[in-house]
Structure formats: C-alpha cells, structure tokens
Coordinates of all heavy atoms in Angstrom, one line a residue:
M210 N -15.4 7.3 13.7 CA -14.5 6.7 14.6 C -13.0 6.9 14.2 O -12.7 6.9 13.0 CB -14.8 5.2 14.5 CG -13.9 4.4 15.4 SD -14.4 2.7 15.8 CE -14.0 1.9 14.3
R211 N -12.2 7.2 15.2 CA -10.8 7.4 14.9 C -10.0 6.2 15.3 O -10.3 5.5 16.2 CB -10.4 8.6 15.8 CG -11.1 9.9 15.4 CD -10.6 11.0 16.2 NE -11.3 12.2 15.8 CZ -11.2 13.4 16.4 NH1 -10.3 13.6 17.3 NH2 -11.9 14.4 16.0
T212 N -8.9 6.0 14.6 CA -8.0 4.9 14.8 C -6.6 5.4 15.2 O -6.1 6.2 14.4 CB -8.0 4.0 13.5 OG1 -9.3 3.6 13.2 CG2 -7.1 2.8 13.8
Y213 N -6.1 4.9 16.2 CA -4.8 5.3 16.7 C -3.9 4.0 16.7 O -4.3 3.0 17.1 CB -4.8 5.9 18.1 CG -5.5 7.3 18.1 CD1 -6.8 7.4 18.2 CD2 -4.7 8.4 17.9 CE1 -7.5 8.6 18.2 CE2 -5.3 9.7 17.9 CZ -6.7 9.8 18.0 OH -7.3 11.0 18.0
I214 N -2.7 4.3 16.3 CA -1.6 3.2 16.5 C -0.6 3.9 17.4 O 0.1 4.9 17.0 CB -1.0 2.8 15.1 CG1 -2.1 2.2 14.2 CG2 0.2 1.9 15.4 CD1 -1.6 1.8 12.9
G215 N -0.5 3.4 18.6 CA 0.3 4.1 19.6 C -0.4 5.4 19.9 O -1.5 5.5 20.1
R216 N 0.4 6.5 19.7 CA -0.1 7.9 19.9 C -0.5 8.6 18.6 O -1.0 9.7 18.7 CB 0.9 8.7 20.7 CG 1.1 8.2 22.1 CD 2.1 9.1 22.8 NE 2.5 8.6 24.0 CZ 3.3 9.1 24.9 NH1 4.0 10.2 24.5 NH2 3.6 8.5 26.0
Q217 N -0.3 7.9 17.5 CA -0.5 8.5 16.2 C -1.9 8.1 15.7 O -2.2 7.0 15.7 CB 0.6 8.1 15.3 CG 2.0 8.4 15.7 CD 2.2 10.0 15.5 OE1 1.8 10.5 14.6 NE2 2.9 10.5 16.5
Q218 N -2.6 9.1 15.1 CA -3.8 8.8 14.4 C -3.6 8.4 13.0 O -2.8 9.1 12.3 CB -4.8 10.0 14.5 CG -6.1 9.7 13.9 CD -7.1 10.9 13.9 OE1 -6.7 12.0 14.3 NE2 -8.3 10.7 13.5
A219 N -4.2 7.2 12.6 CA -4.1 6.8 11.3 C -5.3 7.2 10.5 O -6.4 6.8 10.9 CB -3.9 5.3 11.2
I220 N -5.2 8.0 9.5 CA -6.3 8.5 8.8 C -6.5 7.7 7.4 O -7.6 7.5 7.0 CB -6.2 10.0 8.5 CG1 -6.2 10.7 9.9 CG2 -7.3 10.5 7.6 CD1 -5.8 12.2 9.8
S221 N -5.4 7.4 6.8 CA -5.5 6.8 5.5 C -4.7 5.5 5.5 O -4.0 5.1 6.5 CB -4.8 7.7 4.4 OG -3.4 7.9 4.7
V222 N -4.8 4.7 4.4 CA -4.1 3.5 4.2 C -2.6 3.7 4.3 O -1.8 3.0 4.9 CB -4.4 2.8 2.9 CG1 -3.5 1.6 2.6 CG2 -5.9 2.5 2.8
E223 N -2.1 4.9 3.7 CA -0.7 5.3 3.8 C -0.3 5.4 5.2 O 0.8 5.1 5.6 CB -0.5 6.5 2.9 CG -0.7 6.3 1.4 CD -2.0 6.3 0.9 OE1 -3.0 6.7 1.7 OE2 -2.3 5.8 -0.2
D224 N -1.1 6.1 6.0 CA -0.8 6.3 7.4 C -0.6 4.9 8.1 O 0.4 4.8 8.9 CB -1.9 7.1 8.2 CG -2.0 8.5 7.8 OD1 -1.0 9.0 7.2 OD2 -3.0 9.2 8.1
F225 N -1.5 4.0 7.9 CA -1.4 2.7 8.5 C -0.1 2.0 8.1 O 0.7 1.5 8.9 CB -2.5 1.8 8.1 CG -3.8 2.0 8.9 CD1 -4.9 2.6 8.4 CD2 -3.9 1.6 10.2 CE1 -6.0 2.8 9.1 CE2 -5.0 1.8 11.0 CZ -6.1 2.4 10.4
A226 N 0.2 2.0 6.8 CA 1.5 1.4 6.3 C 2.7 2.1 6.9 O 3.6 1.4 7.4 CB 1.5 1.5 4.8
E227 N 2.7 3.4 7.0 CA 3.8 4.2 7.5 C 4.0 3.8 9.0 O 5.2 3.6 9.5 CB 3.7 5.7 7.3 CG 4.9 6.4 7.7 CD 4.8 7.9 7.3 OE1 4.2 8.2 6.3 OE2 5.4 8.7 8.0
L228 N 2.9 3.8 9.7 CA 3.0 3.5 11.2 C 3.5 2.1 11.4 O 4.2 1.8 12.3 CB 1.7 3.8 11.9 CG 1.3 5.3 11.9 CD1 -0.1 5.5 12.4 CD2 2.3 6.0 12.9
A229 N 3.0 1.1 10.6 CA 3.4 -0.2 10.7 C 4.9 -0.4 10.4 O 5.6 -1.1 11.0 CB 2.6 -1.1 9.8
L230 N 5.4 0.3 9.3 CA 6.7 0.2 8.9 C 7.7 1.0 9.8 O 8.9 0.7 9.9 CB 6.9 0.7 7.4 CG 6.3 -0.2 6.3 CD1 6.4 0.6 5.1 CD2 7.1 -1.5 6.3
G231 N 7.2 2.1 10.3 CA 8.0 3.0 11.1 C 8.8 3.9 10.1 O 9.6 4.7 10.6
T232 N 8.5 3.8 8.8 CA 9.1 4.7 7.9 C 8.1 5.0 6.8 O 7.1 4.3 6.6 CB 10.3 4.0 7.2 OG1 9.8 2.8 6.5 CG2 11.4 3.7 8.1
P233 N 8.3 6.1 6.0 CA 7.3 6.3 4.9 C 7.4 5.2 3.9 O 8.5 4.7 3.6 CB 7.9 7.7 4.3 CG 8.8 8.2 5.3 CD 9.3 7.1 6.1
V234 N 6.3 4.9 3.3 CA 6.2 3.8 2.3 C 7.1 4.1 1.1 O 7.8 3.3 0.5 CB 4.8 3.6 1.8 CG1 4.7 2.6 0.6 CG2 3.9 3.2 3.0
E235 N 7.2 5.4 0.8 CA 8.0 5.9 -0.4 C 9.5 5.5 -0.2 O 10.2 5.3 -1.2 CB 8.0 7.4 -0.6 CG 6.6 7.9 -1.0 CD 5.6 8.0 0.2 OE1 6.0 8.0 1.4 OE2 4.4 8.2 -0.1
L236 N 9.9 5.3 1.0 CA 11.3 4.9 1.2 C 11.6 3.5 0.5 O 12.6 3.3 0.0 CB 11.7 4.9 2.7 CG 13.1 4.3 3.0 CD1 14.1 5.3 2.5 CD2 13.2 4.1 4.5
W237 N 10.6 2.6 0.7 CA 10.8 1.3 0.2 C 10.3 1.1 -1.3 O 10.9 0.3 -2.0 CB 10.0 0.3 1.1 CG 10.4 0.5 2.5 CD1 9.7 1.2 3.4 CD2 11.6 0.1 3.1 NE1 10.4 1.1 4.6 CE2 11.5 0.5 4.4 CE3 12.7 -0.7 2.7 CZ2 12.6 0.2 5.4 CZ3 13.7 -0.9 3.6 CH2 13.7 -0.5 4.9
L238 N 9.3 1.9 -1.7 CA 8.8 1.7 -3.0 C 9.3 2.8 -4.0 O 9.2 2.6 -5.2 CB 7.3 1.8 -3.0 CG 6.6 0.8 -2.1 CD1 5.1 1.0 -2.1 CD2 6.9 -0.6 -2.5
G239 N 9.9 3.8 -3.5 CA 10.3 4.9 -4.4 C 9.1 5.8 -4.8 O 8.0 5.6 -4.4
V240 N 9.4 6.8 -5.6 CA 8.4 7.7 -6.1 C 8.6 7.8 -7.6 O 9.8 7.8 -8.1 CB 8.5 9.1 -5.5 CG1 8.1 9.0 -4.0 CG2 9.8 9.7 -5.6
E241 N 7.6 8.1 -8.3 CA 7.6 8.3 -9.7 C 8.5 9.5 -10.1 O 8.4 10.5 -9.5 CB 6.2 8.5 -10.3 CG 6.1 8.4 -11.8 CD 4.7 8.4 -12.4 OE1 3.8 7.9 -11.6 OE2 4.5 9.0 -13.4
G242 N 9.3 9.3 -11.0 CA 10.1 10.4 -11.5 C 11.4 10.7 -10.7 O 12.1 11.7 -10.9
E243 N 11.8 9.8 -9.8 CA 12.9 10.1 -9.0 C 14.2 9.9 -9.9 O 14.2 9.1 -10.8 CB 13.0 9.2 -7.7 CG 13.3 7.7 -8.0 CD 13.3 6.9 -6.7 OE1 13.2 7.5 -5.6 OE2 13.5 5.7 -6.8
T244 N 15.2 10.8 -9.5 CA 16.4 10.7 -10.3 C 17.3 9.5 -9.8 O 17.0 8.9 -8.8 CB 17.2 12.0 -10.1 OG1 17.7 12.1 -8.8 CG2 16.5 13.2 -10.5
D245 N 18.3 9.1 -10.6 CA 19.2 8.0 -10.2 C 19.8 8.4 -8.8 O 20.0 7.5 -8.0 CB 20.3 7.8 -11.2 CG 19.7 7.2 -12.5 OD1 18.6 6.6 -12.5 OD2 20.4 7.3 -13.5
E246 N 20.2 9.6 -8.6 CA 20.8 10.1 -7.4 C 19.8 10.0 -6.2 O 20.2 9.5 -5.2 CB 21.3 11.5 -7.5 CG 22.1 12.0 -6.4 CD 22.6 13.5 -6.7 OE1 23.6 13.6 -7.3 OE2 21.9 14.4 -6.2
E247 N 18.6 10.4 -6.4 CA 17.6 10.2 -5.4 C 17.3 8.8 -5.0 O 17.2 8.4 -3.9 CB 16.2 10.9 -5.8 CG 16.3 12.4 -5.9 CD 15.2 13.0 -6.6 OE1 14.5 12.4 -7.5 OE2 14.8 14.2 -6.3
R248 N 17.2 7.9 -6.1 CA 17.0 6.5 -5.8 C 18.2 5.9 -5.1 O 18.0 5.1 -4.1 CB 16.9 5.7 -7.2 CG 16.5 4.3 -6.9 CD 16.4 3.4 -8.1 NE 17.7 3.1 -8.5 CZ 18.3 3.4 -9.7 NH1 17.7 4.1 -10.6 NH2 19.6 3.1 -9.9
A249 N 19.4 6.3 -5.4 CA 20.6 5.8 -4.7 C 20.6 6.2 -3.2 O 20.8 5.4 -2.3 CB 21.9 6.2 -5.4
A250 N 20.2 7.4 -2.9 CA 20.1 7.9 -1.6 C 19.0 7.2 -0.8 O 19.2 6.8 0.4 CB 19.9 9.4 -1.6
R251 N 17.9 6.9 -1.5 CA 16.8 6.3 -0.8 C 17.2 4.9 -0.5 O 16.9 4.3 0.6 CB 15.5 6.3 -1.7 CG 14.3 5.5 -1.2 CD 13.2 5.6 -2.2 NE 13.4 5.2 -3.5 CZ 13.6 3.9 -3.9 NH1 13.4 2.9 -3.0 NH2 13.8 3.6 -5.2
E252 N 17.8 4.2 -1.4 CA 18.2 2.8 -1.2 C 19.3 2.7 -0.1 O 19.3 1.8 0.7 CB 18.7 2.2 -2.5 CG 17.6 1.9 -3.5 CD 18.1 1.4 -4.9 OE1 19.3 1.5 -5.1 OE2 17.2 1.0 -5.6
D253 N 20.2 3.7 0.0 CA 21.2 3.7 1.0 C 20.5 3.8 2.4 O 20.9 3.2 3.4 CB 22.2 4.9 0.9 CG 23.2 4.6 -0.2 OD1 23.4 3.5 -0.6 OD2 23.9 5.6 -0.6
A254 N 19.5 4.7 2.5 CA 18.8 4.9 3.8 C 18.0 3.6 4.1 O 18.1 3.2 5.3 CB 17.8 6.0 3.6
A255 N 17.5 2.9 3.1 CA 16.8 1.7 3.4 C 17.7 0.6 3.9 O 17.4 -0.1 4.8 CB 16.0 1.2 2.2
R256 N 18.9 0.5 3.3 CA 19.9 -0.4 3.7 C 20.3 -0.1 5.2 O 20.5 -1.1 6.0 CB 21.1 -0.4 2.8 CG 21.0 -1.3 1.6 CD 22.3 -1.4 0.9 NE 22.7 -0.2 0.1 CZ 22.2 0.1 -1.1 NH1 21.3 -0.7 -1.7 NH2 22.6 1.2 -1.7
D257 N 20.5 1.2 5.5 CA 20.9 1.5 6.9 C 19.8 1.1 7.9 O 20.1 0.5 9.0 CB 21.1 3.0 7.0 CG 22.4 3.5 6.3 OD1 23.2 2.6 6.0 OD2 22.5 4.7 6.1
I258 N 18.5 1.2 7.5 CA 17.4 0.9 8.4 C 17.4 -0.7 8.6 O 17.3 -1.2 9.6 CB 16.1 1.4 7.8 CG1 16.0 2.9 8.0 CG2 14.9 0.7 8.5 CD1 14.9 3.6 7.3
L259 N 17.6 -1.4 7.5 CA 17.6 -2.8 7.6 C 18.9 -3.4 8.3 O 18.8 -4.3 9.0 CB 17.6 -3.5 6.1 CG 16.3 -3.4 5.4 CD1 16.5 -3.8 4.0 CD2 15.2 -4.1 6.1
A260 N 20.0 -2.6 8.3 CA 21.2 -3.0 9.0 C 20.9 -2.9 10.5 O 21.3 -3.7 11.4 CB 22.4 -2.2 8.6
D261 N 20.2 -1.8 10.8 CA 19.9 -1.5 12.3 C 18.8 -2.4 12.8 O 18.7 -2.6 14.0 CB 19.4 -0.1 12.5 CG 20.5 0.9 12.3 OD1 21.8 0.5 12.3 OD2 20.2 2.1 12.1
N262 N 17.9 -2.9 11.9 CA 16.8 -3.8 12.3 C 16.7 -4.9 11.3 O 15.7 -5.0 10.5 CB 15.5 -3.0 12.3 CG 14.3 -3.7 13.0 OD1 14.5 -4.9 13.3 ND2 13.2 -3.0 13.1
P263 N 17.5 -5.9 11.5 CA 17.5 -7.0 10.5 C 16.2 -7.9 10.5 O 15.9 -8.6 9.6 CB 18.8 -7.9 10.9 CG 19.1 -7.5 12.2 CD 18.6 -6.1 12.4
N264 N 15.5 -7.8 11.6 CA 14.2 -8.6 11.7 C 13.0 -7.8 11.0 O 12.0 -8.4 11.1 CB 13.9 -8.8 13.2 CG 14.9 -9.8 13.8 OD1 15.4 -10.6 13.2 ND2 15.2 -9.5 15.1
L265 N 13.2 -6.7 10.5 CA 12.1 -5.9 10.0 C 11.3 -6.7 8.9 O 10.1 -6.7 8.9 CB 12.6 -4.6 9.4 CG 11.6 -3.6 8.8 CD1 10.6 -3.2 9.9 CD2 12.2 -2.4 8.2
P266 N 12.0 -7.3 7.9 CA 11.2 -8.0 6.9 C 10.4 -9.1 7.5 O 9.2 -9.3 7.1 CB 12.3 -8.6 6.0 CG 13.5 -7.7 6.1 CD 13.5 -7.3 7.6
D267 N 10.9 -9.9 8.4 CA 10.2 -10.9 9.1 C 9.0 -10.4 9.9 O 7.9 -10.9 9.9 CB 11.0 -11.8 10.0 CG 12.1 -12.6 9.2 OD1 11.8 -12.9 8.0 OD2 13.1 -12.9 9.8
D268 N 9.2 -9.3 10.6 CA 8.2 -8.6 11.3 C 7.0 -8.2 10.4 O 5.9 -8.3 10.8 CB 8.7 -7.5 12.2 CG 9.7 -7.9 13.2 OD1 9.7 -9.0 13.6 OD2 10.4 -7.0 13.7
L269 N 7.4 -7.6 9.3 CA 6.4 -7.1 8.3 C 5.6 -8.3 7.7 O 4.3 -8.1 7.6 CB 7.0 -6.3 7.2 CG 7.6 -5.0 7.7 CD1 8.3 -4.3 6.5 CD2 6.6 -4.1 8.3
V270 N 6.2 -9.4 7.4 CA 5.5 -10.5 6.9 C 4.5 -11.0 8.0 O 3.4 -11.4 7.7 CB 6.5 -11.6 6.4 CG1 5.7 -12.9 6.2 CG2 7.2 -11.2 5.2
R271 N 5.0 -11.1 9.2 CA 4.1 -11.5 10.3 C 2.9 -10.6 10.5 O 1.8 -11.1 10.7 CB 5.0 -11.6 11.6 CG 4.3 -12.3 12.7 CD 5.3 -12.5 14.0 NE 6.6 -11.9 14.0 CZ 7.7 -12.4 13.5 NH1 7.7 -13.6 13.0 NH2 8.8 -11.8 13.6
I272 N 3.1 -9.3 10.4 CA 2.0 -8.3 10.5 C 1.0 -8.5 9.4 O -0.2 -8.6 9.6 CB 2.6 -6.9 10.5 CG1 3.3 -6.6 11.8 CG2 1.4 -5.9 10.3 CD1 4.1 -5.3 11.9
A273 N 1.6 -8.7 8.1 CA 0.7 -8.9 7.0 C -0.1 -10.2 7.1 O -1.3 -10.2 6.9 CB 1.5 -8.9 5.7
A274 N 0.5 -11.2 7.6 CA -0.2 -12.5 7.8 C -1.3 -12.3 8.8 O -2.4 -12.9 8.7 CB 0.8 -13.6 8.2
Q275 N -1.0 -11.6 9.9 CA -2.0 -11.4 10.9 C -3.2 -10.6 10.4 O -4.3 -10.9 10.7 CB -1.4 -10.7 12.1 CG -2.3 -10.4 13.3 CD -1.6 -9.7 14.4 OE1 -0.4 -9.5 14.4 NE2 -2.4 -9.3 15.4
V276 N -2.9 -9.6 9.6 CA -4.0 -8.7 9.0 C -4.9 -9.6 8.2 O -6.1 -9.5 8.2 CB -3.4 -7.5 8.3 CG1 -4.5 -6.8 7.5 CG2 -2.8 -6.5 9.3
I277 N -4.2 -10.4 7.3 CA -5.0 -11.3 6.4 C -5.8 -12.3 7.2 O -7.0 -12.5 6.9 CB -4.0 -12.0 5.4 CG1 -3.4 -11.0 4.4 CG2 -4.8 -13.1 4.7 CD1 -2.3 -11.5 3.7
E278 N -5.3 -12.9 8.2 CA -6.0 -13.8 9.0 C -7.2 -13.2 9.7 O -8.3 -13.8 9.8 CB -5.1 -14.5 10.1 CG -5.7 -15.6 10.9 CD -4.7 -16.2 11.8 OE1 -3.5 -16.4 11.4 OE2 -5.1 -16.4 13.0
E279 N -7.0 -12.0 10.2 CA -8.1 -11.3 10.9 C -9.1 -10.7 10.0 O -10.2 -10.3 10.5 CB -7.5 -10.3 11.9 CG -6.6 -10.9 13.0 CD -6.0 -9.8 13.8 OE1 -6.0 -8.6 13.6 OE2 -5.2 -10.2 14.8
N280 N -8.8 -10.5 8.8 CA -9.6 -9.8 7.8 C -9.7 -10.6 6.5 O -9.4 -10.0 5.4 CB -9.2 -8.4 7.5 CG -9.1 -7.6 8.8 OD1 -10.1 -7.1 9.3 ND2 -7.9 -7.4 9.3
P281 N -10.3 -11.8 6.5 CA -10.3 -12.6 5.2 C -11.1 -11.9 4.2 O -10.9 -12.2 3.0 CB -10.9 -13.9 5.7 CG -11.6 -13.6 6.9 CD -10.9 -12.5 7.6
D282 N -12.0 -11.1 4.5 CA -12.9 -10.4 3.5 C -12.1 -9.4 2.7 O -12.6 -8.9 1.7 CB -14.0 -9.7 4.2 CG -13.6 -8.7 5.3 OD1 -12.6 -8.9 5.9 OD2 -14.3 -7.6 5.3
L283 N -10.8 -9.1 3.0 CA -10.0 -8.2 2.2 C -9.8 -8.8 0.8 O -9.6 -8.0 -0.1 CB -8.6 -8.0 2.9 CG -8.5 -7.2 4.1 CD1 -7.1 -7.2 4.7 CD2 -9.0 -5.7 3.8
F284 N -9.9 -10.1 0.7 CA -9.7 -10.7 -0.6 C -10.9 -11.2 -1.3 O -10.9 -12.0 -2.2 CB -8.6 -11.8 -0.5 CG -7.3 -11.3 0.0 CD1 -7.0 -11.3 1.3 CD2 -6.5 -10.7 -0.9 CE1 -5.7 -10.8 1.8 CE2 -5.3 -10.2 -0.5 CZ -4.9 -10.2 0.8
D285 N -12.1 -10.8 -0.8 CA -13.3 -11.1 -1.5 C -13.4 -10.4 -2.8 O -13.4 -9.2 -2.8 CB -14.6 -10.7 -0.6 CG -14.8 -11.6 0.6 OD1 -14.1 -12.7 0.7 OD2 -15.6 -11.3 1.4
V286 N -13.4 -11.2 -3.8 CA -13.4 -10.6 -5.2 C -14.8 -10.8 -5.8 O -15.3 -11.9 -5.8 CB -12.4 -11.2 -6.1 CG1 -12.4 -10.7 -7.5 CG2 -11.0 -11.1 -5.4
V287 N -15.4 -9.7 -6.2 CA -16.7 -9.8 -6.8 C -16.6 -9.5 -8.3 O -16.1 -8.4 -8.7 CB -17.7 -8.8 -6.2 CG1 -19.0 -8.8 -6.8 CG2 -17.8 -9.1 -4.7
P288 N -16.9 -10.4 -9.2 CA -16.8 -10.1 -10.6 C -17.8 -9.0 -11.0 O -18.9 -9.0 -10.6 CB -17.1 -11.4 -11.3 CG -17.8 -12.2 -10.3 CD -17.4 -11.8 -9.0
L289 N -17.3 -8.1 -11.8 CA -18.2 -7.0 -12.3 C -18.8 -7.4 -13.6 O -18.1 -7.9 -14.5 CB -17.4 -5.7 -12.4 CG -16.8 -5.2 -11.1 CD1 -16.0 -3.9 -11.4 CD2 -18.0 -4.9 -10.1
V290 N -20.1 -7.2 -13.7 CA -20.7 -7.5 -15.0 C -20.7 -6.3 -15.9 O -21.0 -5.2 -15.5 CB -22.2 -7.9 -14.7 CG1 -22.9 -8.2 -16.0 CG2 -22.3 -9.1 -13.8
R291 N -20.2 -6.6 -17.1 CA -20.0 -5.5 -18.1 C -21.4 -5.2 -18.7 O -22.0 -6.2 -19.2 CB -19.0 -5.9 -19.1 CG -18.6 -4.8 -20.0 CD -17.5 -5.3 -20.9 NE -16.4 -4.3 -20.9 CZ -15.3 -4.5 -21.5 NH1 -15.1 -5.6 -22.2 NH2 -14.4 -3.5 -21.5
P292 N -21.9 -4.0 -18.7 CA -23.2 -3.7 -19.3 C -23.2 -4.0 -20.8 O -22.2 -3.8 -21.5 CB -23.4 -2.2 -19.1 CG -22.1 -1.7 -18.6 CD -21.2 -2.8 -18.2
A293 N -24.3 -4.5 -21.3 CA -24.4 -4.8 -22.7 C -24.4 -3.5 -23.5 O -24.9 -2.5 -23.1 CB -25.7 -5.6 -23.0
R294 N -23.8 -3.6 -24.6 CA -23.8 -2.4 -25.5 C -25.2 -2.2 -26.1 O -25.8 -3.2 -26.5 CB -22.8 -2.5 -26.6 CG -21.4 -2.5 -26.0 CD -20.4 -2.4 -27.2 NE -19.1 -2.3 -26.6 CZ -18.0 -2.2 -27.4 NH1 -18.1 -2.0 -28.7 NH2 -16.8 -2.1 -26.8
R295 N -25.5 -1.0 -26.4 CA -26.8 -0.7 -27.0 C -26.6 -0.3 -28.4 O -26.5 0.9 -28.7 CB -27.5 0.4 -26.2 CG -27.7 0.0 -24.7 CD -28.3 1.1 -23.9 NE -29.7 1.1 -24.1 CZ -30.4 2.1 -23.5 NH1 -29.9 3.0 -22.7 NH2 -31.7 2.1 -23.6
R296 N -26.5 -1.3 -29.2 CA -26.2 -1.0 -30.7 C -27.2 -0.2 -31.4 O -27.0 0.6 -32.2 CB -25.9 -2.3 -31.4 CG -24.6 -3.0 -30.8 CD -24.4 -4.3 -31.5 NE -23.4 -5.1 -30.8 CZ -22.2 -5.4 -31.4 NH1 -22.0 -5.0 -32.6 NH2 -21.3 -6.1 -30.7
A297 N -28.5 -0.5 -31.2 CA -29.6 0.1 -31.9 C -29.5 1.6 -31.5 O -29.7 2.5 -32.4 CB -30.9 -0.5 -31.5
A298 N -29.3 2.0 -30.3 CA -29.3 3.4 -29.9 C -28.1 4.1 -30.6 O -28.2 5.2 -31.0 CB -29.2 3.5 -28.4
R299 N -27.0 3.4 -30.7 CA -25.8 4.0 -31.4 C -26.0 4.3 -32.8 O -25.6 5.3 -33.4 CB -24.6 3.1 -31.2 CG -24.2 3.1 -29.7 CD -23.1 2.1 -29.5 NE -21.8 2.9 -29.4 CZ -20.6 2.3 -29.3 NH1 -20.5 1.0 -29.4 NH2 -19.6 3.0 -29.2
K300 N -26.7 3.3 -33.5 CA -26.9 3.5 -35.0 C -27.8 4.7 -35.2 O -27.6 5.4 -36.1 CB -27.5 2.2 -35.5 CG -26.5 1.1 -35.7 CD -27.1 -0.1 -36.3 CE -26.1 -1.3 -36.3 NZ -26.8 -2.5 -36.9
G301 N -28.9 4.8 -34.4 CA -29.8 5.9 -34.5 C -29.1 7.2 -34.2 O -29.5 8.2 -34.9
A302 N -28.2 7.3 -33.3 CA -27.5 8.5 -33.0 C -26.6 8.9 -34.1 O -26.4 10.1 -34.3 CB -26.8 8.4 -31.7
A303 N -26.0 7.9 -34.8 CA -25.1 8.3 -35.8 C -25.7 8.7 -37.1 O -25.1 9.3 -37.9 CB -24.2 7.0 -36.1
A304 N -26.9 8.4 -37.3 CA -27.6 8.8 -38.5 C -28.0 10.2 -38.6 O -28.0 11.0 -37.8 CB -28.8 7.9 -38.7

C-alpha cells in the first residue's frame, strides 16, 4: 500500500516528518559533525522560516497530538525478558 500526503509519496518516517514540517528534519535537528558555520547557517534558515510562519510550532504540536490520539498503540511498551545466562555451558567451553 502506498501513502501520499498531498501529491508526495511518503515512504519512510523521515518522509512523513519532512512532509508534515514542510522542511527537512535536519534543518531543525542538525546533523552529526556539522561545523559551527553550518550550524549557524541552518539556525538562520530556521529562524527565517519561523518568522514567515509563526504558527508553525503550534501547528506541529497539534499534529503530534492528533497522531497520538489516533494511534495510542504507538506508546505500547512491552518489556523484553533477558535470557538467562548459561553458566554451565560457558564453564565447559572455557576448559
């Protein structure tokens, strides 16, 4: 099944986030290893976007709340059971 947001096909989680934001996620979160100059340029671009669309943070919170409300299973946490160690097998292997 294919999922489209507007005319764009969303293939990955990153696609959904980018389409919801209207910008690449990296603009807001940065990328590993970016230089101080790259970070400053990225932050300047983000400030410009927020100046042009001051309701963006509120819109994003509203979208996130809607997604959580419509998909409560996103936060279903299942504890994982750690397998017991097999000490007898390890002792025999070490000998």
Side-chain angles (χ1 to χ4, degrees):
M210 177 164 75
R211 295 181 184 179
T212 303
Y213 289 87
I214 298 176
R216 296 181 185 179
Q217 299 291 319
Q218 183 178 5
I220 298 172
S221 66
V222 172
E223 290 80 13
D224 289 345
F225 279 105
E227 185 170 333
L228 291 168
L230 291 169
T232 60
V234 175
E235 293 82 11
L236 175 68
W237 307 101
L238 301 179
V240 293
E241 191 173 328
E243 72 182 356
T244 65
D245 289 342
E246 186 176 275
E247 291 168 331
R248 187 185 77 243
R251 178 179 55 75
E252 290 174 347
D253 283 344
R256 274 191 287 279
D257 289 344
I258 289 170
L259 289 173
D261 291 343
N262 189 357
N264 294 327
L265 182 62
D267 293 336
D268 293 343
L269 293 176
V270 169
R271 194 173 6 269
I272 290 168
Q275 181 180 352
V276 168
I277 291 167
E278 185 176 316
E279 293 173 359
N280 302 282
D282 58 322
L283 288 174
F284 297 98
D285 286 350
V286 177
V287 178
L289 299 176
V290 178
R291 193 175 225 176
R294 291 187 179 188
R295 301 173 84 181
R296 295 177 191 244
R299 292 174 102 186
K300 287 182 181 177

